[in-house]
Amino acid sequence: MVFADRSERGKLQFHGPQHLWFLHQILTQSFEDMQVGDAREAALLTVHGRMVGFLEAFAIEEAVLCHFEPELKDTLPEAISRYVLATQVTIDDVSDEMGLVLVAGQGYEELAHGHAVGPLVHPTDSLGIPAAYLWVGHSDVQALLMALESRGARPASEEELEAIR
């Protein structure tokens, strides 16, 4: 099993009475039926069908957390915010508050659960093997990385993760 610190990715939280409806309206995926624990992949497109950004979404109680490539941290949140208008949704940039650690490989579930830092476990199909993102407070990332390594997982480079994908 492997892990990688992906905390540099952009991270947004959507909440409010119409947050699922809002995401359903602006992204290329169905969101209105999301339940706590559901994960989705989606893209934001221009009116001409050009991709503005791709993100992975994870439903938590009363909100949806999304993460995306770090290169889009300055542009994607603004592009999404343009669509708010009168919608009852709040978008919070939690990039600096939340850490994100990818765990992958058979048995990742055992690694993902049972930590003192209590991560939110966001399953992902992005690597083509069993994997999940672990959402934790930014201050808990190092403790989580050390715990994963002490339980037998090894750090993986972005190149190795790309080869797996």
Side-chain angles (χ1 to χ4, degrees), residues 5-82:
D5 185 356
R6 291 262 176 103
S7 297
E8 79 285 351
R9 294 177 68 80
K11 297 176 242 17
L12 298 175
Q13 180 178 19
F14 297 84
H15 55 97
Q18 294 181 306
H19 72 281
L20 293 175
W21 180 86
F22 173 75
L23 292 168
H24 182 83
Q25 297 301 311
I26 68 164
L27 299 174
T28 61
Q29 180 63 271
S30 173
F31 280 87
E32 289 183 307
D33 63 339
M34 272 188 104
Q35 301 295 317
V36 171
D38 287 349
R40 307 271 162 89
E41 297 175 348
L44 178 66
L45 305 176
T46 68
V47 294
H48 301 291
R50 292 196 175 120
M51 187 172 334
V52 175
F54 176 82
L55 50 85
E56 290 191 53
F58 179 60
I60 60 172
E61 194 70 40
E62 309 269 331
V64 171
L65 294 170
C66 297
H67 65 89
F68 50 91
E69 294 297 325
E71 296 80 16
L72 299 176
K73 284 169 102 172
D74 292 334
T75 58
L76 189 58
E78 180 183 329
I80 291 171
S81 294
R82 282 190 223 130

Side-chain angles (χ1 to χ4, degrees), residues 124-146:
T124 181
D125 295 326
S126 63
L127 293 178
I129 64 171
Y133 282 99
L134 307 181
W135 292 78
V136 295
H138 191 56
S139 62
D140 294 324
V141 170
Q142 288 307 314
L144 178 58
L145 296 175
M146 290 172 44

